[in-house]
Amino acid sequence: RYEHQPFVSCLAGLYGCQWRRYQRARVECGSFGLLILTFFLSFLFLYFWSEAQNDYSDFDWWVTARFAHVCKHTVMLLYATFFTKCANVVQVLAVCLLCEGQRLYLHWSHKTGVVVTLAFSIIATAVLSDLWSKEWKTLLLSLQVTAPFLHMGAVSLMAVLAWPIALHFFRMNKKVRQVGVLGLYLSILFSLYLVPLGMYSPCIKEAGTLGPAPRLIGHRGAPMLAPENTVMSFEKAVEAGGEGLETDVTISYDGVPFLMHDSTLRRTTNIDEVFPNRTHHDASMFTWSELQQLNAGDWFLLRDPFGTVSSLSEMDRLQVQNQSVPSLAQFLEVAAQGGRQVLFDLRRPPYGHPYSQSYINTTLQVVRAHINSSQVLWLPSEDRELVQAVDPDLQQTSGQKASIQELTESHITRLNLHYSTMSEQQISKYQSVNISTNLYVISQPWLYTLAWCAGAKSVTTNSIHILSNINKPLFLMTPEEYNLMWILTDSVSAFLIIVIFTFHWCEDTHTHTLTRTHTHTVLLLS
């Protein structure tokens, strides 16, 4: 007999589009399995993409350089969020139906959406793994700060799933199925309970062992507040509290060191308008007078690389429009006035350039003329011994890890490493011989927190104005606090699961008793 159940009918209508009458007889275990797979893969992709926020700008520029148009990371994130939300909603409906003891029948339109979501998740993950494989290291780093909380969420989810699993466990007629379902569930549950035994996080530290916050070095200035590698950008970085400034130096055709990251001028200037026939020429093949004809700010307002243009004041917008390509001397003057350290990468001019052999000496002369040498973190590795002999006050900085002996023989006092190589043990080892570590480029608070807990001396960042407001690591806790959280989570979930299974066992026993009584009564009446 069909019983009218408004809540179940509503769930069934949303899940299987059966609004008139819920068909209880149809079972589709395959659809539910596909739904679970889609849910986890889409969740993995969304987690991967959300943790990659630190490098969104690099991804946008990579796509722009190869496909000649701007591909906003927000577009992909929007698609990923939409597909994942759809999968989540259908998954919740399925769990609710199972909690009500109902069988599942997924409508064809939902099946299509699930298949599309699954295909998107697989293809997007595969493409990113191939083109952006280094981000998997970022994901592994993120687990060092999020794993304790992901563990709590996973255990809580298993406690919620205990209701439908227990309900269907006691309704199964075959012992083999019962053993299989319960065995799988308990295996996953106990594995989650023991996960913290193999978990490592530098942010789980004894009280009083946390070192000072890493100093902030502006990556090409403050590129979220002004066009990168412009005087305005470096002034904004100083105003925001940056203790150092990082840039990229190239030598012009007539021997003037200037600031430019890319090998060409296309991305950050209006060279298409001023020199339309030379857009693909190397930046170092232009004279200083030609470089001064370019505008280095309009592109920032047009492309809005970090989505921050709307926050600029009208005065800042006008200042952005008047930015030009600065020389190394102008950059050093800003740093010297603010008493900031400077770190720069030096690009060697191409073969045939007038300064291809003397570019280091030319740069070194400008440095010594405009700033105190002790403020300079000298990164170029070419002719390092000669540079050290000419100016021993420079802080020799290496961009590669090496043995302590090799570093000390080269007079290295600091390492400049990509954040993906972050290791608390290595940072501590180098620090023991007074070699500090700078990590680049760190712009997200969670990653800055991880660098702080790992003991980094400084970080190069795009978001000085954000990180300078962080006074304490976000996920810092003592081992005692973490153990309490771990034990409490496992204990509460275990208690709830036992209660749920006991309740359904009592219900099942009561139902069997009523059935036997009813059968016995019918037999007596007969």
Side-chain angles (χ1 to χ4, degrees):
R1 185 173 64 87
Y2 177 75
E3 298 176 0
H4 180 62
Q5 296 176 286
F7 177 67
V8 174
S9 297
C10 181
L11 290 176
L14 292 173
Y15 184 82
C17 293
Q18 299 183 44
W19 296 96
R20 294 183 179 180
R21 179 183 178 90
Y22 183 48
Q23 303 292 333
R24 301 190 184 191
R26 304 186 68 172
V27 183
E28 287 193 343
C29 296
S31 296
F32 185 62
L34 182 65
L35 188 60
I36 293 176
L37 178 62
T38 303
F39 171 78
F40 281 107
L41 286 179
S42 59
F43 177 80
L44 173 64
F45 175 77
L46 186 60
Y47 180 81
F48 173 91
W49 192 244
S50 63
E51 293 304 319
Q53 290 182 62
N54 190 79
D55 303 322
Y56 278 173
S57 58
D58 291 342
F59 180 78
D60 285 345
W61 291 337
W62 184 90
V63 173
T64 302
R66 285 160 177 76
F67 301 103
H69 65 84
V70 179
C71 175
K72 284 292 183 184
H73 55 266
T74 49
V75 175
M76 182 170 287
L77 184 60
L78 180 63
Y79 281 124
T81 303
F82 172 76
F83 286 133
T84 304
K85 291 296 183 183
C86 290
N88 288 356
V89 169
V90 179
Q91 179 74 25
V92 170
L93 290 174
V95 172
C96 290
L97 283 170
L98 290 175
C99 289
E100 289 294 322
Q102 306 300 317
R103 294 179 177 178
L104 303 178
Y105 171 71
L106 190 63
H107 192 263
W108 66 267
S109 61
H110 289 166
K111 292 178 183 177
T112 303
V114 169
V115 171
V116 170
T117 304
L118 180 62
F120 172 85
S121 301
I122 294 175
I123 294 173
T125 303
V127 170
L128 288 177
S129 296
D130 183 53
L131 302 180
W132 214 18
S133 58
K134 68 178 184 179
E135 288 305 313
W136 287 110
K137 295 182 180 179
T138 303
L139 186 142
L140 294 177
L141 285 176
S142 73
L143 293 178
Q144 293 184 13
V145 292
T146 61
F149 306 96
L150 291 176
H151 169 254
M152 289 181 61
V155 171
S156 301
L157 178 62
M158 293 299 290
V160 171
L161 293 176
W163 184 276
I165 288 175
L167 176 66
H168 288 273
F169 171 79
F170 289 107
R171 290 188 177 186
M172 290 179 180
N173 297 323
K174 295 183 178 181
K175 294 293 183 181
V176 176
R177 289 186 178 180
Q178 287 183 316
V179 172
V181 170
L182 187 61
L184 178 62
Y185 176 76
L186 292 179
S187 298
I188 297 175
L189 181 64
F190 287 127
S191 297
L192 289 174
Y193 282 166
L194 299 177
V195 159
L197 292 176
M199 194 178 295
Y200 163 76
S201 173
C203 290
I204 300 177
K205 306 177 78 71
E206 294 287 353
T209 60
L210 179 68
R215 296 178 179 178
L216 301 176
I217 298 177
H219 182 234
R220 307 172 199 169
M224 290 187 177
L225 306 177
E228 67 176 61
N229 281 336
T230 60
V231 171
M232 179 183 178
S233 183
F234 296 113
E235 291 175 342
K236 288 288 186 180
V238 173
E239 292 174 8
E243 298 184 46
L245 303 173
E246 185 273 348
T247 188
D248 310 275
V249 178
T250 300
I251 308 295
S252 70
Y253 196 76
D254 51 353
V256 178
F258 67 97
L259 309 188
M260 182 59 57
H261 172 266
D262 299 358
S263 59
T264 69
L265 303 168
R266 294 180 62 200
R267 182 173 63 85
T268 57
T269 71
N270 63 337
I271 190 173
D272 290 338
E273 301 173 6
V274 181
F275 302 108
N277 297 325
R278 302 174 65 186
T279 56
H280 294 282
H281 287 195
D282 194 285
S284 61
M285 302 306 288
F286 290 79
T287 64
W288 178 241
S289 61
E290 291 173 334
L291 293 170
Q292 288 298 284
Q293 299 177 43
L294 302 175
N295 183 292
D298 285 342
W299 73 272
F300 181 78
L301 299 176
L302 178 64
R303 297 181 184 175
D304 192 12
F306 294 94
T308 55
V309 168
S310 60
S311 65
L312 299 182
S313 65
E314 193 62 34
M315 184 176 297
D316 282 343
R317 289 172 182 264
L318 292 175
Q319 189 177 356
V320 166
Q321 293 174 341
N322 294 323
Q323 294 303 300
S324 59
V325 177
S327 65
L328 175 60
Q330 291 174 293
F331 163 72
L332 294 175
E333 288 173 1
V334 173
Q337 291 173 4
R340 270 40 178 194
Q341 291 185 327
V342 297
L343 170 68
F344 60 84
D345 201 3
L346 181 59
R347 200 166 64 85
R348 182 168 192 159
Y351 179 77
H353 191 280
Y355 291 84
S356 60
Q357 301 300 322
S358 60
Y359 70 103
I360 290 181
N361 286 332
T362 302
T363 303
L364 192 57
Q365 291 173 7
V366 175
V367 168
R368 299 182 69 187
H370 291 87
I371 195 172
N372 191 315
S373 298
S374 61
Q375 294 176 241
V376 180
L377 307 178
W378 185 264
L379 184 59
S381 58
E382 292 82 0
D383 297 330
R384 188 181 294 277
E385 293 183 2
L386 176 62
V387 172
Q388 172 67 16
V390 172
D391 195 343
D393 292 333
L394 294 171
Q395 297 188 46
Q396 295 296 327
T397 304
S398 175
Q400 295 180 341
K401 291 187 290 186
S403 67
I404 291 178
Q405 181 179 355
E406 291 175 330
L407 294 175
T408 52
E409 288 177 353
S410 300
H411 306 284
I412 300 298
T413 59
R414 184 170 302 199
L415 292 175
N416 183 54
L417 306 175
H418 190 266
Y419 73 82
S420 63
T421 65
M422 189 187 313
S423 168
E424 183 180 16
Q425 291 75 19
Q426 287 188 344
I427 291 176
S428 177
K429 180 184 71 173
Y430 289 127
Q431 187 60 47
S432 66
V433 292
N434 295 322
I435 299 176
S436 56
T437 303
N438 176 71
L439 300 174
Y440 68 91
V441 173
I442 290 178
S443 301
Q444 290 297 307
W446 74 265
L447 199 49
Y448 178 68
T449 287
L450 193 60
W452 187 346
C453 294
K457 178 73 171 181
S458 59
V459 299
T460 304
T461 178
N462 291 322
S463 56
I464 285 183
H465 60 297
I466 296 175
L467 301 188
S468 60
N469 295 321
I470 298 178
N471 300 317
K472 180 182 178 182
L474 302 181
F475 304 98
L476 183 65
M477 66 180 78
T478 64
E480 292 76 17
E481 291 172 337
Y482 175 64
N483 289 334
L484 177 62
M485 182 178 74
W486 168 27
I487 295 172
L488 191 61
T489 300
D490 288 1
S491 300
V492 171
S493 67
F495 173 76
L496 291 176
I497 290 170
I498 291 173
V499 169
I500 290 171
F501 270 84
T502 302
F503 172 78
H504 282 290
W505 177 76
C506 293
E507 284 285 308
D508 184 67
T509 302
H510 179 64
T511 300
H512 281 297
T513 301
L514 290 179
T515 302
R516 286 196 297 270
T517 303
H518 177 71
T519 303
H520 183 65
T521 302
V522 170
L523 291 174
L524 289 176
L525 291 175
S526 300

